[in-house]
């Protein structure tokens, strides 16, 4: 998050920050991200919150179960998600941000 925000600031890009860990995320938006990128990309399996789940919750995941987990615990959503209106970028890679914003 910090690197993405710093990069956006250095490029002079104005943005609105939505902290979905605090403010939550609506189902429709999360479903849209999963449709665009695949739930496997949107779900942050490397994060502490996911790793602390018991094996029953982590096994046999599909999109519907992953979405329910992310709605219940938004910290399981990979960050940042940059919403450009017509598309989104998940995670931060400077070269992808530069290509998308130019």
């Amino acid at each position: 998050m910090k690197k993405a925000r710093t990069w956006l600031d250095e490029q002079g890009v104005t943005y609105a920050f939505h902290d979905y860990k605090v403010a939550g995320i609506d189902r429709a938006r999360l479903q849209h991200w999963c449709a665009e990128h695949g739930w496997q990309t949107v779900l942050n399996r490397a994060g502490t919150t996911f790793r602390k789940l018991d094996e029953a919750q982590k096994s046999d995941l599909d999109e519907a179960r992953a979405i329910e987990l992310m709605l219940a615990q938004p910290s399981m959503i990979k960050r940042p998600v940059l919403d450009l209106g017509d598309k989104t970028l998940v995670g931060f890679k400077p070269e992808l941000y530069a290509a998308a914003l130019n």
Side-chain angles (χ1 to χ4, degrees):
M1 289 293 305
K2 192 175 198 177
K3 290 178 184 178
R5 292 176 80 173
T6 299
W7 188 91
L8 291 167
D9 290 340
E10 288 172 352
Q11 305 306 309
V13 176
T14 57
Y15 59 91
F17 176 69
H18 175 85
D19 188 351
Y20 49 80
K21 286 175 65 174
V22 174
I25 186 75
D26 61 90
R27 180 180 299 274
R29 183 169 298 182
L30 186 55
Q31 288 172 326
H32 177 78
W33 293 347
C34 290
E36 184 177 355
H37 300 284
W39 65 268
Q40 299 91 336
T41 299
V42 179
L43 178 65
N44 181 10
R45 293 178 190 229
T48 305
T49 305
F50 182 82
R51 287 185 281 131
K52 285 184 178 179
L53 293 175
D54 62 51
E55 287 304 316
Q57 291 176 296
K58 291 192 268 189
S59 64
D60 297 323
L61 276 179
D62 60 11
E63 183 172 322
R65 289 189 56 218
I67 287 173
E68 292 305 320
L69 285 173
M70 290 184 279
L71 286 171
Q73 297 184 60
S75 60
M76 281 195 249
I77 300 170
K78 187 170 184 176
R79 299 181 311 270
V81 177
L82 182 63
D83 187 342
L84 299 170
D86 60 335
K87 68 177 180 176
T88 57
L89 301 176
V90 177
F92 174 65
K93 293 190 176 163
E95 63 277 7
L96 295 180
Y97 273 43
L101 293 169
N102 290 329

